[in-house]
Amino acid sequence: MTASFGRRLRPTSVPPLDDDDLLDEILLRLSPDPSSLPRASAVCARWRRLVSDPGFASRFRLRHRRSPPILGCFIRDKQSPIVSFVPTMEAPNRVPAERFSLQLGGRGPITFLDCRHGLLLMFLPCWIKVLVWDPFTGDQHRLDIPPGFDTKQGIGGAVLRAGGAIHHFQVVLLGREKQVITACVYSSEAGVWGILISTPLPNEVPVESDFRGVPVLIGDSLHYLITGVCSRILEFDLNRRILTVIAGPVDILDVGSCQSTVMRAEDGGLGILFKSDCNVQLWRRKIDCDGEASWVLGRTFELDTLLSLNSEEKEPTVMLGLAEYNNAVVVQTVAGHFMVQLVSLQFKKMSETSSWHFHQPFESVYTGGNIMP
């Protein structure tokens, strides 16, 4: 083979999109919206082969674990054993309501404890168990409450997949006896509960206080709001297995028409959302160079003004659930239910009804193809 003078022969190489490994890396960077992979699979047989591989689906979920979309909300009525799904995304990303539903036998209420990494954690008082449910696969894991927990005093809990795990999960259970908080961790890989971990509560925390709402995961620590006359935050370090009580902002009370919940602040640290009637305050915990912690008041806004509620619609307004990765809160009003994004203050009306109860926003990466056109 010859070449004209002054020209160099280029080495033979595989075009980028003909290299399966490189194409795999490109496809992994698609948006985590539910329509992304079905659309990619429709391009050609080769793309369909790549994105339908179970290993690719696992890597795709891992890559977008910290930036999942809000697929919708799980809801239940006060005494119903049925968990229903209400989709919130628009077509072509709207997941059908019937795709995620759960019919539990027996009677009595179900308590939503947490939702994270595509798993839902519930307390089943009738069975004195907690249930870990994977809505994508339908898998259910019913776990006995470990000895040392008094469920009559109320329990809190969290579910998560540690590190790069896809199939294994951890459950953190919290209980209280008088002024002592107890935690215990279940590992699905080991199949057992760990040892009990305890810490005393400050004396000023009332006996009737409880764990309010779902926890928020900041770094390697879970944070729960302990409600009472003066709010405290319980931090559980997952790596060191240590419980610590953190003081909240001194101005934050949780009584009467006031509500508060822990959240992820704009800088990724620990925050608190405090709502009094329609006024919302977003607080951020700040650590200085000497390791000293303080609370800083950030954004404030009025819910009735933001949602354009008239005087008859603005009372009451109730926070029903928080999506931790998207920093969005579900708000119940007389005019219906709204999803409010706390950074951008953009909102979406989810329904006209105001009769739903016990919302649990569902943030996850959906890799299935069963979505609405």
Side-chain angles (χ1 to χ4, degrees):
M1 183 175 181
T2 61
S4 59
F5 182 77
R7 292 181 58 191
R8 294 189 305 171
L9 290 176
R10 294 182 179 179
T12 303
S13 61
V14 178
L17 293 184
D18 289 344
D19 183 330
D20 277 1
D21 290 339
L22 183 56
L23 180 57
D24 184 275
E25 287 298 318
I26 294 172
L27 294 174
L28 282 175
R29 288 161 171 76
L30 289 174
S31 163
D33 287 342
S35 65
S36 292
L37 296 189
R39 284 175 162 176
S41 68
V43 171
C44 63
R46 179 164 160 263
W47 284 35
R48 182 163 56 251
R49 171 177 57 82
L50 288 173
V51 301
S52 61
D53 180 77
F56 176 87
S58 297
R59 294 191 301 276
F60 190 78
R61 289 195 296 271
L62 275 174
R63 180 175 182 83
H64 298 290
R65 177 176 287 184
R66 292 181 176 84
S67 57
I70 304 175
L71 301 181
C73 286
F74 287 110
I75 64 170
R76 71 166 181 84
D77 290 325
K78 289 183 177 180
Q79 299 299 324
S80 172
I82 300 175
V83 176
S84 303
F85 177 71
V86 178
T88 55
M89 301 189 78
E90 305 295 335
N93 294 305
R94 192 175 179 86
V95 179
E98 60 271 17
R99 177 63 179 84
F100 305 131
S101 63
L102 181 64
Q103 173 74 59
L104 296 169
R107 297 181 179 179
I110 303 164
T111 302
F112 291 149
L113 296 180
D114 193 26
C115 185
R116 187 177 292 102
H117 300 158
L119 298 173
L120 187 66
L121 178 67
M122 292 169 279
F123 175 47
L124 310 178
C126 288
W127 291 275
I128 315 180
K129 295 177 183 286
V130 289
L131 170 66
V132 179
W133 176 45
D134 186 334
F136 296 117
T137 65
D139 291 344
Q140 297 183 32
H141 303 269
R142 300 194 182 201
L143 310 176
D144 291 323
I145 302 294
F149 280 80
D150 183 1
T151 58
K152 294 180 181 179
Q153 298 295 318
I155 61 172
V159 64
L160 68 152
R161 301 188 196 270
I166 286 295
H167 302 294
H168 296 296
F169 61 86
Q170 292 179 317
V171 172
V172 178
L173 208 60
L174 290 178
R176 175 176 181 176
E177 184 176 356
K178 297 182 180 178
Q179 291 301 100
V180 176
I181 295 287
T182 300
C184 196
V185 180
Y186 175 86
S187 165
S188 68
E189 187 171 13
V192 295
W193 289 97
I195 62 173
L196 296 181
I197 304 153
S198 300
T199 192
L201 283 172
N203 292 330
E204 64 268 21
V205 176
V207 175
E208 65 273 11
S209 62
D210 60 6
F211 307 104
R212 178 61 55 86
V214 298
V216 63
L217 180 64
I218 308 289
D220 294 319
S221 295
L222 289 160
H223 298 81
Y224 303 78
L225 189 67
I226 305 174
T227 64
V229 177
C230 195
S231 296
R232 293 291 185 272
I233 297 168
L234 185 70
E235 178 182 62
F236 181 61
D237 189 310
L238 290 161
N239 292 331
R240 299 188 296 162
R241 297 290 198 268
I242 295 175
L243 285 165
T244 307
V245 178
I246 300 172
V250 294
D251 295 333
I252 294 296
L253 302 179
D254 201 9
V255 293
S257 62
C258 302
Q259 283 186 283
S260 53
T261 183
V262 286
M263 58 174 286
R264 183 177 282 112
E266 288 190 46
D267 62 358
L270 178 62
I272 286 184
L273 182 156
F274 172 68
K275 186 184 80 66
S276 177
D277 295 322
C278 283
N279 178 260
V280 176
Q281 301 175 5
L282 303 182
W283 292 78
R284 175 174 59 90
R285 190 169 186 252
K286 181 180 178 181
I287 309 294
D288 64 21
C289 57
D290 296 321
E292 296 294 324
S294 61
W295 287 92
V296 178
L297 177 60
R299 176 176 307 207
T300 64
F301 61 91
E302 301 292 330
L303 268 176
D304 54 339
T305 302
L306 177 68
L307 304 178
S308 300
L309 303 176
N310 59 41
S311 57
E312 290 79 21
E313 295 172 334
K314 68 179 184 179
E315 293 296 339
T317 58
V318 182
M319 296 188 303
L320 296 178
L322 179 78
E324 69 174 350
Y325 288 103
N326 286 271
N327 262 354
V329 64
V330 178
V331 179
Q332 181 185 42
T333 73
V334 175
H337 290 76
F338 297 84
M339 180 79 74
V340 180
Q341 211 286 328
L342 297 171
V343 176
S344 66
L345 293 189
Q346 294 181 338
F347 64 90
K348 176 190 299 184
K349 193 168 189 177
M350 298 168 53
S351 75
E352 298 289 340
T353 179
S354 60
S355 61
W356 296 348
H357 299 281
F358 306 104
H359 287 59
Q360 176 58 65
F362 186 43
E363 301 174 287
S364 193
V365 180
Y366 181 71
T367 57
N370 184 19
I371 59 176
M372 292 183 178

